[in-house]
Amino acid sequence: MLNETQVRDLLGIPADNRVKYETDWDGSDFNGSECHEGACRHGDGTPASVHIDWTKPGFDEDTDAPNSLHLQELAFCIDHARAEIADALNETAPFAHDNDVFIKVVVNGWYLRYAMPSQVAA
């Protein structure tokens, strides 16, 4: 079974005050959720392994200044989650001081129990 340190390494989750990590041990929050990436090799019907909720900054068209936050609630397979987390970290970096900016990563506990060792090494 994968532990939190292994999952953080696998997903590229740094020690960062913006990121909150949780595990849904019974996988109940993952019922009906599939990878948000349209061309996912896992195909339809395969439950997502990771949910990512984050606040995406919005910008004023005239001044290019941040003017709002938009909640993004997405689901991904383990393969696509790393890229989305990296994007969220990059987009929220200028706002790391703002308590309203966050990235919440929830991993499906079933994935942690049954992931193949080759998936962890990838």
Side-chain angles (χ1 to χ4, degrees):
M1 183 167 83
L2 301 177
N3 63 37
E4 181 177 338
T5 301
Q6 290 171 309
V7 175
R8 283 179 168 273
D9 290 345
L10 181 67
L11 294 175
I13 301 173
D16 188 305
N17 63 345
R18 290 171 288 162
V19 182
K20 181 179 179 186
Y21 173 89
E22 294 179 8
T23 301
D24 177 17
W25 286 109
D26 67 4
S28 60
D29 289 342
F30 287 83
N31 279 340
S33 66
E34 298 175 3
C35 184
H36 184 75
E37 188 67 35
C40 183
R41 68 179 174 83
H42 296 110
D44 292 338
T46 302
S49 304
V50 181
H51 283 168
I52 303 169
D53 298 346
W54 65 286
T55 48
K56 183 174 185 166
F59 294 88
D60 183 278
E61 292 178 13
D62 297 326
T63 64
D64 202 33
N67 63 358
S68 61
L69 294 172
H70 306 279
L71 180 62
Q72 305 291 303
E73 297 176 301
L74 305 170
F76 293 94
C77 66
I78 205 78
D79 296 340
H80 291 115
R82 183 181 181 100
E84 182 66 19
I85 292 168
D87 287 348
L89 285 165
N90 186 45
E91 286 197 44
T92 59
F95 310 98
H97 62 281
D98 188 336
N99 291 334
D100 291 331
V101 173
F102 69 88
I103 303 166
K104 180 181 173 185
V105 177
V106 181
V107 177
N108 187 336
W110 287 97
Y111 179 82
L112 300 183
R113 287 186 190 104
Y114 300 111
M116 300 301 292
S118 60
Q119 290 173 300
V120 178

